Amino acid sequence: MEVEVKFRVVLDEIKEKIEKLGAKLVREEIQEDLYFDVPLPNLLRIRHIVNTGEVILGYKEIKDKRNEEFDEIEVEVGDFDKTREILKRLGFTEDIWVKKHRYVYKLGNVTFELNRVEGLGDFLDIEVISDNVEEAKREIWKVAGMLGLKEEDVEPRLYQELIKGKRVT
Amino acid sequence: MEVEVKFRVVLDEIKEKIEKLGAKLVREEIQEDLYFDVPLPNLLRIRHIVNTGEVILGYKEIKDKRNEEFDEIEVEVGDFDKTREILKRLGFTEDIWVKKHRYVYKLGNVTFELNRVEGLGDFLDIEVISDNVEEAKREIWKVAGMLGLKEEDVEPRLYQELIKGKRVT
């Protein structure tokens, strides 16, 4: 299980704090995600990592109401457009694009995904892979506290929900 | 458009004839194809090429009643089991396995796919990629004639139909 909590942050400030904690930058990615219209709590997307050329087909099942627990399957695919075409032919409709610049830091078994999301602002996902959700949450909140993040900084909505929300207002 | 005609053959005999025509062996593959239950005329499969380790997600639309014209999209994927799991989670049911040993020969723009299919016997697909179906068929039947193949050697049924046919009798 992928357990993560998403916080609204100011990128430059939080980046400095994460580095001061001793976390190491392991990856930097320009991600362009195309989501397909499958019914929640499921998510289907093709991710194009522009700077590495990788393309990843991803399927997620959201396991809780706060969008913090995910069962995720990802597989690398050889071509974005062909994968997109196969999904379309299978009847899936394209829903929305989410584009972001992501810095990935690691500290022990905690992963920090610091995202500048196009049109939405800056977010930090603190993530732990574990089947013990309670313990994972404790770990996440421990480091969140060290970064000065609080309950009111949590953003429970998915990026695609935020983008759609902006689009209709 | 992928245009192909499938003939029932005796592998060793036809192999020799294909080689005598001057066709070159370009590939030899052990293919294990898992088909999913999508409604005809569409086909969805994951192909594992055992001897090279490649895995290919393939979607086909059959365009004619004799199963000779196909609109095909294929994309390489990084992992068989994860792709299988994503398709299952998306609601696709596994239908049938087709396993074969394939020799691929080329002569000009004609491809010969000589298959020994587990449980079914030997088949030769003569294939031309072209949007001019009539011309492609003429090319196919020209080389078929040179190999001594006739209309009565044609097998219009799909491998998965043949396997299912055997299973219920």
Side-chain angles (χ1 to χ4, degrees):
Chain A
M1 184 82 79
E2 181 193 39
V3 184
E4 67 179 37
V5 180
K6 178 156 77 244
F7 300 90
R8 287 192 173 269
V9 296
V10 175
L11 193 134
D12 294 338
E13 286 177 22
I14 204 80
K15 203 165 185 290
E16 209 183 306
K17 288 182 185 170
I18 291 169
E19 287 167 3
K20 273 196 186 147
L21 274 188
K24 297 290 171 226
L25 181 68
V26 291
R27 235 169 28 251
E28 194 177 334
E29 294 179 342
I30 314 289
Q31 301 179 341
E32 298 188 348
D33 297 350
L34 175 59
Y35 282 85
F36 287 80
D37 193 15
V38 296
L40 286 171
N42 302 327
L43 303 172
L44 177 65
R45 72 164 176 232
I46 314 174
R47 167 167 293 171
H48 180 206
I49 305 176
V50 180
N51 54 317
T52 66
E54 283 169 282
V55 181
I56 295 164
L57 176 64
Y59 175 86
K60 283 191 182 203
E61 290 179 13
I62 306 169
K63 293 297 188 187
D64 70 319
K65 290 204 185 305
R66 277 169 58 107
N67 296 323
E68 295 182 349
E69 299 162 34
F70 298 94
D71 187 1
E72 184 178 39
I73 310 165
E74 290 191 322
V75 67
E76 193 166 349
V77 293
D79 187 280
F80 187 94
D81 290 330
K82 287 182 181 173
T83 307
R84 179 183 190 171
E85 185 63 23
I86 290 175
L87 290 177
K88 282 168 75 174
R89 300 277 188 107
L90 286 172
F92 297 100
T93 313
E94 295 181 8
D95 186 21
I96 206 162
W97 284 93
V98 178
K99 299 182 180 184
K100 52 179 142 27
H101 191 134
R102 170 175 285 183
Y103 303 86
V104 182
Y105 288 86
K106 286 239 180 209
L107 181 67
N109 60 335
V110 178
T111 302
F112 301 86
E113 295 175 343
L114 182 53
N115 297 311
R116 173 154 286 176
V117 186
E118 207 175 289
L120 291 183
D122 302 337
F123 299 86
L124 173 65
D125 291 339
I126 306 181
E127 178 184 307
V128 169
I129 305 290
S130 169
D131 285 331
N132 185 334
V133 173
E134 289 314 305
E135 195 179 300
K137 291 261 175 104
R138 268 197 302 277
E139 279 195 83
I140 288 169
W141 278 103
K142 190 178 149 201
V143 292
M146 292 161 78
L147 295 171
L149 296 168
K150 301 193 176 61
E151 182 61 41
E152 61 259 35
D153 301 314
V154 171
E155 175 51 76
R157 287 167 293 179
L158 303 168
Y159 293 127
Q160 54 268 51
E161 290 173 331
L162 293 169
I163 288 171
K164 282 187 194 174
K166 276 194 71 170
R167 214 164 44 170
V168 295
T169 54
Chain B
M1 184 84 75
E2 181 193 39
V3 183
E4 67 179 37
V5 180
K6 179 156 78 242
F7 300 90
R8 287 192 174 269
V9 295
V10 175
L11 192 133
D12 294 337
E13 286 176 22
I14 205 81
K15 203 165 185 289
E16 210 183 305
K17 289 181 184 170
I18 291 169
E19 287 167 2
K20 274 196 186 148
L21 274 187
K24 298 288 170 225
L25 182 68
V26 292
R27 234 166 31 248
E28 194 177 335
E29 295 179 343
I30 314 289
Q31 302 179 340
E32 297 188 348
D33 296 350
L34 176 58
Y35 282 85
F36 287 80
D37 192 15
V38 297
L40 286 171
N42 303 326
L43 304 172
L44 176 65
R45 71 163 177 232
I46 314 173
R47 167 167 292 171
H48 180 205
I49 306 176
V50 178
N51 54 316
T52 66
E54 283 170 281
V55 182
I56 295 163
L57 176 64
Y59 175 87
K60 284 191 180 200
E61 290 179 13
I62 306 169
K63 292 297 186 188
D64 71 319
K65 289 204 185 305
R66 279 167 59 105
N67 296 322
E68 295 182 349
E69 301 161 34
F70 299 94
D71 187 2
E72 184 178 40
I73 309 164
E74 290 192 321
V75 66
E76 193 167 349
V77 293
D79 187 279
F80 186 95
D81 291 330
K82 286 181 181 173
T83 308
R84 179 183 190 171
E85 184 63 24
I86 289 174
L87 291 177
K88 283 168 74 174
R89 300 277 187 106
L90 287 172
F92 297 100
T93 312
E94 295 180 8
D95 185 21
I96 206 162
W97 283 93
V98 178
K99 299 182 180 183
K100 54 178 140 27
H101 191 133
R102 169 174 286 182
Y103 302 87
V104 183
Y105 288 86
K106 288 239 181 208
L107 181 67
N109 61 334
V110 179
T111 303
F112 301 87
E113 295 175 343
L114 182 53
N115 298 310
R116 173 153 286 177
V117 186
E118 207 174 289
L120 291 184
D122 302 338
F123 299 86
L124 173 65
D125 291 340
I126 306 181
E127 179 184 306
V128 168
I129 304 292
S130 170
D131 285 331
N132 186 334
V133 173
E134 289 314 306
E135 195 179 302
K137 291 259 174 108
R138 268 197 302 277
E139 280 195 83
I140 289 168
W141 277 102
K142 190 178 150 199
V143 293
M146 292 161 79
L147 295 171
L149 296 168
K150 301 193 175 63
E151 182 62 40
E152 61 260 35
D153 301 315
V154 171
E155 175 49 78
R157 287 167 293 179
L158 303 167
Y159 293 128
Q160 54 269 48
E161 290 173 331
L162 294 169
I163 289 172
K164 281 187 192 173
K166 278 194 69 168
R167 216 166 41 173
V168 294
T169 53

